[in-house]
Amino acid sequence: VNSEKPLPNQKSHRFTLILSAKNFILACVFCRKNDDCPNKYGEKKTKEKWNLTVHYYCLLMSSGIWQRGKEEEGVYGFLIEDIRKEVNRASKLVTSCWDIQPVLIFLKHLNPLYVYCEPLKRRVQAINAGVFFFRCTICSNSDIFQKEMLRMGIHIPEKDASWELEENAYQELLQHHERCDVRRCRCKEGRDYNAPDSKWEIKRCQCCGSSGTHLACSSLRSWEQNWECLECRGIIYNSGEFQKAKKHVLPNSNNVGITDCLLEESSPKLPRQSPGSQSKDLLRQGSKFRRNVSTLLIELGFQIKKKTKRLYINKANIWTSALDAFRNRNFNPSYAIEVAYVIENDNFGSEHPGSKQEFLSLLMQHLENSSLFEGSLSKNLSLNSQALKENLYYEAGKMLAISLVHGGPSPGFFSKTLFNCLVYGPENTQPILDDVSDFDVAQIIIRINTATTVADLKSVINECYNYLELIGCLRLITTLSDKYMLVKDILVYHVIQRVQAPFESFKQGLKTLGVLEKIQAYPEAFCSILCHKPESLSAKILSDLFTVHTLPDVKALGFWNSYLQAVEDGKSTTTMEDILIFATGCSSIPPAGFKPTPSIECLHVDFPVGNKCNNCLAIPITNTYKEFQENMDFTIRNTLKLEKEESSHYIGH
């Protein structure tokens, strides 16, 4: 060793020492293992500056250390000096692990999967999903499920789901099937050949979208003709629950009036699901797939956490304050909503509790009458460039989704065309004349459709030449029946293509809390609340809705039932909707129901009192029914009149 000449193996020995030191550095300072398995040990972190490596779970389960720093300091907030102190302390401890070994052996004998596989499966699920997506795979509950997992010692990292962090993670969803799958393909270019606007254009199955055919291979005359693959066709005809979707053919008779071809609504009979076997499974379920909309919304409500977010709302400017609240970076749609009403330009900053359902009800009223939609009763999206620039269509969809899941009212003003575009896609939807709110465009359509000769038709087209050229609907007219395709092109452009950008933005907003996906899965259930107003209230409905909350006064409750009947018979100045608004802030029963349940109290007061935060109505105890009705009518009528006067200017804006 003292010789200046190095020994033969000295160089390799030095290299071995370096490797050993490097491996020692890469081993966890707590468990002394070099394993890098996030499922078992958590993420492995190496700090070369301090020659320190640690498993995240080893760090969490050390009993003598806690986070004293910020998240970016040390290792996830655990300071380096604290880690070294804990390692030094732990090195002096002696374990007696053999004491629990018989217990583990006994548990493995009873159920070997429970001891290792089940906790590991949940741990892997927690790591991949993170705190925002970790929930029960059966009922989708997150609060109770996460508490139970924490009790079992399963760590839930506070991060986004792993699949949300992958680049282009959903790129495959943008791909569609382009291959001829029929038994005998006639195309000489092969099954993958696709030539648009020819007989070798590939048509996908309208049910599953995962099978295709060349038009010529299935004797289809045009791309618009419906086609189902053999598997879907068998399911459809054998289930007994669905009928084959019939193509809506525009009549070519010269004496057909406008009402025969334009006012008839044509919509697909089958929901257009995502490609693959999932849609075929849905078809197999038949009537089992039809469910009550209240149950569906309650299921979506499982996402709402117990953590509460307070929204400060100015009733005099509800739209702006709602936008500010929902756009706040701390707002999370899955948090429970609490409303506080504030007054603009109030130097004292006073606020008072507000009703969440009343706030959502006022917001839906504003949305229905806003410039984002056009039409009288059944509305479609409008084209508002300023609203598009400010991303208001997205916010509108988000507000609708939040209202449905958080117990607010449903819109009830969607046109069937807008609904079908959301469920089946714009490419599978044919608008009707009622969807056109522009008077001039509607007149052009009517004139084209009522033309009785080719000369009259060409005359109308010449008059409207600039408009038809601008929207790209000019076509060669050879027969009178060509007018129907021209009318169809104008309708599709004006109602669908013209508002494509607002529609895509609105659809993205409606995906909040998974609402759009639920609508697409259960279109029949959601059509009843999105396209139709709620049923009219009756005395029986209100009587069943309100429960007696306190010990009743028999006479007062009798007066209450008589009053409901008088209102229904038109013998009162108030309406059923007025009573419900006075007590709850809503003019109709929300699809998900009221929470808490509306209740009645009998109090020794002269006039009724409505508590919209608790959905409670206190009715007066009077000597006579006449006095009872007069007091109820006077209070309800004047209270609502005052509220309408205060808010009339912002609902119309």
Side-chain angles (χ1 to χ4, degrees):
V1 176
N2 293 330
S3 174
E4 294 182 0
K5 185 178 180 179
L7 295 174
N9 296 328
Q10 189 173 353
K11 185 175 181 181
S12 61
H13 180 64
R14 185 184 301 112
F15 181 70
T16 303
L17 289 175
I18 292 173
L19 284 179
S20 300
K22 187 174 181 181
N23 288 334
F24 179 78
I25 293 173
L26 293 177
C28 174
V29 294
F30 288 104
C31 67
R32 301 297 180 185
K33 291 184 178 181
N34 199 23
D35 302 43
D36 190 2
C37 179
N39 293 340
K40 286 185 178 181
Y41 307 105
E43 189 177 0
K44 185 180 179 182
K45 280 287 185 180
T46 299
K47 298 290 184 180
E48 295 184 359
K49 181 179 179 180
W50 293 287
N51 294 333
L52 181 132
T53 297
V54 63
H55 289 125
Y56 186 42
Y57 288 168
C58 295
L59 191 60
L60 290 179
M61 295 180 182
S62 299
S63 56
I65 188 174
W66 60 92
Q67 287 176 300
R68 293 197 304 118
K70 298 180 180 178
E71 189 72 19
E72 63 274 8
E73 292 184 273
V75 182
Y76 298 114
F78 293 91
L79 302 181
I80 300 299
E81 57 268 27
D82 292 345
I83 296 176
R84 295 200 183 280
K85 289 179 182 178
E86 175 62 11
V87 171
N88 185 50
R89 185 191 70 84
S91 64
K92 301 175 184 178
L93 300 177
V94 178
T95 187
S96 54
C97 296
W98 289 105
D99 292 342
I100 65 168
Q101 197 70 13
V103 178
L104 290 176
I105 294 174
F106 176 69
L107 288 174
K108 286 182 180 179
H109 177 71
L110 290 178
N111 188 349
L113 292 177
Y114 180 79
V115 176
Y116 178 75
C117 297
E118 184 64 23
L120 178 59
K121 182 169 67 175
R122 295 304 180 200
R123 187 174 295 119
V124 172
Q125 182 188 352
I127 292 173
N128 290 332
V131 70
F132 301 110
F133 291 90
F134 188 44
R135 63 192 62 180
C136 176
T137 56
I138 297 176
C139 69
S140 295
N141 180 275
S142 58
D143 273 350
I144 300 176
F145 181 75
Q146 289 189 14
K147 289 179 181 178
E148 183 64 16
M149 293 300 104
L150 290 172
R151 189 189 65 80
M152 293 173 63
I154 294 176
H155 172 67
I156 309 172
E158 189 172 347
K159 68 180 186 72
D160 213 341
S162 58
W163 57 84
E164 295 286 341
L165 302 176
E166 296 179 14
E167 187 175 359
N168 298 324
Y170 303 100
Q171 193 66 27
E172 67 276 5
L173 297 179
L174 302 178
Q175 302 174 359
H176 53 263
H177 189 84
E178 287 190 357
R179 176 181 169 84
C180 181
D181 298 300
V182 297
R183 181 174 298 179
R184 181 177 296 178
C185 178
R186 302 175 183 176
C187 183
K188 295 181 180 180
E189 302 294 332
R191 292 182 177 273
D192 295 326
Y193 182 71
N194 182 21
D197 300 322
S198 74
K199 65 180 181 179
W200 302 120
E201 182 175 4
I202 290 180
K203 168 77 175 178
R204 292 184 294 278
C205 173
Q206 66 166 347
C207 299
C208 67
S210 60
S211 297
T213 179
H214 289 117
L215 298 182
C217 296
S218 294
S219 301
L220 300 177
R221 293 186 298 274
S222 71
W223 191 90
E224 296 178 347
Q225 190 173 349
N226 290 340
W227 178 79
E228 303 98 10
C229 64
L230 286 176
E231 185 176 353
C232 288
R233 193 175 304 166
I235 295 170
I236 292 169
Y237 285 105
N238 293 330
S239 66
E241 295 292 335
F242 295 91
Q243 296 179 354
K244 184 177 180 181
K246 296 182 180 179
K247 172 92 173 90
H248 175 63
V249 181
L250 289 173
N252 54 11
S253 174
N254 291 348
N255 58 358
V256 176
I258 186 170
T259 56
D260 295 321
C261 66
L262 292 179
L263 300 185
E264 179 182 350
E265 295 189 23
S266 60
S267 60
K269 298 289 181 65
L270 290 171
R272 185 179 67 88
Q273 303 292 342
S274 57
S277 60
Q278 181 181 4
S279 61
K280 298 177 181 178
D281 291 338
L282 302 184
L283 289 174
R284 290 189 183 98
Q285 294 180 22
S287 60
K288 295 180 181 178
F289 201 57
R290 300 175 182 174
R291 300 180 60 189
N292 184 279
V293 69
S294 299
T295 305
L296 297 172
L297 292 176
I298 290 172
E299 288 178 0
L300 288 174
F302 288 149
Q303 303 173 79
I304 301 177
K305 299 175 172 54
K306 290 184 178 178
K307 186 172 182 179
T308 301
K309 174 64 178 177
R310 173 171 288 191
L311 306 183
Y312 295 94
I313 303 299
N314 177 12
K315 290 180 71 174
N317 198 348
I318 199 164
W319 173 251
T320 302
S321 56
L323 271 180
D324 293 341
F326 289 153
R327 283 175 168 175
N328 189 294
R329 62 186 182 89
N330 294 323
F331 176 76
N332 187 328
S334 63
Y335 288 169
I337 292 177
E338 183 181 279
V339 175
Y341 288 137
V342 296
I343 301 175
E344 194 174 10
N345 300 325
D346 184 1
N347 296 327
F348 298 99
S350 60
E351 60 183 66
H352 59 278
S355 165
K356 176 187 68 174
Q357 288 166 325
E358 181 188 36
F359 157 63
L360 293 174
S361 181
L362 292 173
L363 188 58
M364 290 302 102
Q365 290 178 39
H366 177 91
L367 207 56
E368 180 176 1
N369 295 284
S370 70
S371 60
L372 301 178
F373 296 90
E374 61 183 19
S376 53
L377 297 177
S378 297
K379 295 177 179 290
N380 290 291
L381 290 171
S382 66
L383 180 59
N384 187 319
S385 57
Q386 186 62 31
L388 190 61
K389 182 179 179 181
E390 297 177 7
N391 206 24
L392 296 185
Y393 290 99
Y394 170 83
E395 297 296 339
K398 179 180 175 182
M399 290 174 181
L400 287 168
I402 290 174
S403 179
L404 289 174
V405 178
H406 283 264
S410 60
F413 58 82
F414 282 17
S415 71
K416 288 290 183 63
T417 298
L418 175 56
F419 180 80
N420 288 339
C421 285
L422 290 170
V423 176
Y424 308 115
E427 68 278 8
N428 295 321
T429 303
Q430 176 59 50
I432 61 174
L433 183 61
D434 285 350
D435 293 319
V436 180
S437 59
D438 189 302
F439 178 80
D440 294 332
V441 175
Q443 288 299 308
I444 292 174
I445 295 173
I446 292 173
R447 290 182 63 194
I448 291 174
N449 190 77
T450 54
T452 56
T453 65
V454 174
D456 290 341
L457 180 59
K458 289 183 177 180
S459 175
V460 175
I461 293 175
N462 288 333
E463 291 181 28
C464 308
Y465 184 89
N466 292 335
Y467 170 73
L468 295 176
E469 184 182 37
L470 179 66
I471 66 175
C473 290
L474 273 177
R475 61 167 52 239
L476 181 65
I477 300 297
T478 57
T479 64
L480 187 62
S481 61
D482 289 339
K483 68 180 181 179
Y484 299 115
M485 290 306 299
L486 178 58
V487 165
K488 179 181 177 181
D489 291 345
I490 298 174
L491 285 171
V492 169
Y493 168 78
H494 187 81
V495 181
I496 294 179
Q497 294 177 354
R498 184 176 62 96
V499 294
Q500 183 177 357
F503 173 77
E504 291 299 327
S505 182
F506 178 71
K507 189 171 71 170
Q508 290 300 317
L510 205 55
K511 289 182 179 180
T512 303
L513 296 171
V515 170
L516 179 61
E517 290 79 0
K518 210 75 165 177
I519 293 173
Q520 292 172 339
Y522 303 92
E524 291 184 7
F526 280 92
C527 182
S528 63
I529 65 170
L530 296 179
C531 300
H532 303 282
K533 293 294 184 180
E535 63 175 328
S536 299
L537 298 173
S538 64
K540 186 179 187 310
I541 291 176
L542 278 192
S543 179
D544 294 339
L545 179 65
F546 285 88
T547 58
V548 179
H549 195 61
T550 59
L551 208 62
D553 179 275
V554 178
K555 184 186 292 186
L557 287 179
F559 289 167
W560 161 250
N561 291 325
S562 299
Y563 181 68
L564 291 179
Q565 194 60 52
V567 172
E568 183 175 343
D569 294 340
K571 299 177 181 178
S572 169
T573 56
T574 62
T575 64
M576 294 292 178
E577 289 72 23
D578 291 340
I579 298 173
L580 194 61
I581 295 173
F582 181 77
T584 67
C586 294
S587 60
S588 61
I589 302 175
F594 283 105
K595 189 176 181 181
T597 303
S599 59
I600 291 235
E601 292 182 343
C602 302
L603 300 180
H604 289 281
V605 293
D606 294 330
F607 300 96
V609 178
N611 187 338
K612 297 176 182 178
C613 295
N614 296 323
N615 299 327
C616 182
L617 174 62
I619 59 177
I621 298 177
T622 59
N623 294 323
T624 64
Y625 171 72
K626 182 180 179 182
E627 183 183 1
F628 180 90
Q629 178 173 343
E630 288 177 351
N631 291 354
M632 292 287 289
D633 285 350
F634 175 81
T635 306
I636 295 175
R637 184 178 64 251
N638 286 282
T639 300
L640 298 186
K641 181 181 179 182
L642 181 62
E643 291 178 352
K644 287 180 181 179
E645 289 175 353
E646 292 177 350
S647 60
S648 60
H649 69 282
Y650 69 81
I651 290 183
H653 281 65

